[in-house]
Amino acid sequence: MKSEDQGDTLRVGAVKELGAANANAFRDWVRQNLAEHHKNIDIDLEQTRFVDSCGLGALVALHKTVCARNGKLRLLNAQPAVRQILDLTRLNRILDVVQT
Amino acid sequence: MGSGLAILNRNALRLELTCELTQVRPTAQAVRRFLADNGCEESEAIDCELALVEACNNAVEHCEESGRSQPVFVEILCDAQCTEMRVTDHTPGFDWPDRVSLPSPDSESGRGLFLIQSVMDYAGYFRGRGENILVVRKNKAPWGIHPISPRRSTP
């Protein structure tokens, strides 16, 4: 995983999987990298091949973190299988799912 | 500690994994390869992989201390009509709801059973003494008919 400071946005990428074994560690790692000036989080899911319900939970947790800062969580370049899970669980309605 | 794998025959696979979350993904990936070797469509294999991960996560996460020394068993049967997966857990078990609802959008958990029910054509949970078995089935698309996105829409 890697993170990049983009002004008021923290961009996170190179996430291989978001599952029960690493979802909490991922959530905590992103929060640790979140500086005071970061309002938004962009998570690039281009390399993410698998997300399960625990991974979704981590994304919702981060969504709530940035909402508390009046910011937004964006999910970039999600693979079809990941988009499918976001659609099925209707999280696409509260999270910004964006192709760049 | 690790996982055991046995290919019973060309169409059947049996695995056992130690009761640890880190064992779940390697198990699901082995099953995905097995399904591909059996000619399973990619979209069906993706659905089976997700359902299996959710089932195994539950089997591990809800296991009490007394059950932790026992492995989670996974059996896969693949034929021309469907793929059937059985996951045997050693949790106290629970009553499987007829229809699982989604939690509120800001809930950080509670979507696993919903995903299993959404991506599989059948799901049944059978409680026993000391162990329970989740049986899920995914029907195969009829020969020559392979929809690109055979997904259930959500209202």
Side-chain angles (χ1 to χ4, degrees):
Chain A
M1 292 186 294
K2 60 181 183 184
S3 67
E4 189 183 335
D5 188 324
Q6 294 185 335
D8 65 357
T9 300
L10 178 72
R11 186 182 176 107
V12 177
V15 184
K16 304 289 182 200
E17 296 190 342
L18 266 182
N22 73 339
N24 287 348
F26 170 78
R27 177 201 62 204
D28 295 344
W29 180 81
V30 173
R31 283 178 175 161
Q32 281 164 17
N33 281 273
L34 207 59
E36 265 187 44
H37 65 276
H38 289 136
K39 217 173 117 181
N40 309 302
I41 301 173
D42 282 356
I43 301 177
D44 192 336
L45 296 174
E46 187 174 19
Q47 296 178 43
T48 310
R49 300 292 161 200
F50 184 83
V51 175
D52 67 14
S53 62
C54 297
L56 294 177
L59 296 177
V60 171
L62 293 172
H63 166 71
K64 291 196 286 193
T65 297
V66 289
C67 282
R69 298 174 177 219
N70 293 315
K72 271 189 166 184
L73 174 77
R74 295 198 311 162
L75 303 178
L76 313 180
N77 308 315
Q79 299 292 323
V82 175
R83 281 206 311 273
Q84 160 73 17
I85 295 171
L86 293 166
D87 293 349
L88 269 177
T89 53
R90 299 173 210 163
L91 289 176
N92 58 343
R93 298 180 188 179
I94 64 160
L95 306 176
D96 273 355
V97 183
V98 179
Q99 292 300 120
T100 61
Chain B
M1 300 287 273
S3 297
L5 179 151
I7 297 175
L8 301 176
N9 60 53
R10 191 178 173 279
N11 306 112
L13 178 71
R14 188 172 198 269
L15 305 100
E16 59 177 74
L17 54 149
T18 53
C19 196
E20 297 168 22
L21 287 175
T22 53
Q23 297 296 314
V24 173
R25 287 293 296 138
T27 299
Q29 286 164 335
V31 168
R32 177 104 180 244
R33 286 191 294 274
F34 172 79
L35 294 176
D37 290 345
N38 273 274
C40 197
E41 286 289 303
E42 191 183 7
S43 62
E44 293 166 10
I46 288 171
D47 288 347
C48 289
E49 182 182 21
L50 177 62
L52 183 66
V53 165
E54 296 294 347
C56 291
N57 285 346
N58 284 342
V60 173
E61 287 183 327
H62 297 288
C63 193
E64 294 179 340
E65 204 51 46
S66 58
R68 294 229 166 260
S69 59
Q70 300 182 72
V72 176
F73 295 108
V74 172
E75 293 163 292
I76 315 294
L77 302 163
C78 206
D79 66 23
Q81 282 76 45
C82 78
T83 298
E84 179 173 299
M85 303 191 293
R86 299 176 194 169
V87 176
T88 303
D89 69 64
H90 300 93
T91 71
F94 63 98
D95 291 328
W96 186 276
D98 285 339
R99 199 71 212 162
V100 185
S101 302
L102 274 173
S104 72
D106 64 353
S107 174
E108 294 172 28
S109 62
R111 296 179 177 87
L113 297 187
F114 176 86
L115 284 171
I116 292 173
Q117 225 172 41
S118 297
V119 300
M120 302 306 282
D121 295 302
Y122 168 80
Y125 189 67
F126 304 94
R127 298 179 74 175
R129 187 170 294 177
E131 65 178 33
N132 315 285
I133 303 179
L134 173 66
V135 180
V136 293
R137 288 190 202 109
K138 181 78 178 171
N139 296 331
K140 296 201 172 169
W143 187 85
I145 304 172
H146 297 300
I148 293 168
S149 294
R151 310 295 189 189
R152 285 190 194 145
S153 59
T154 50

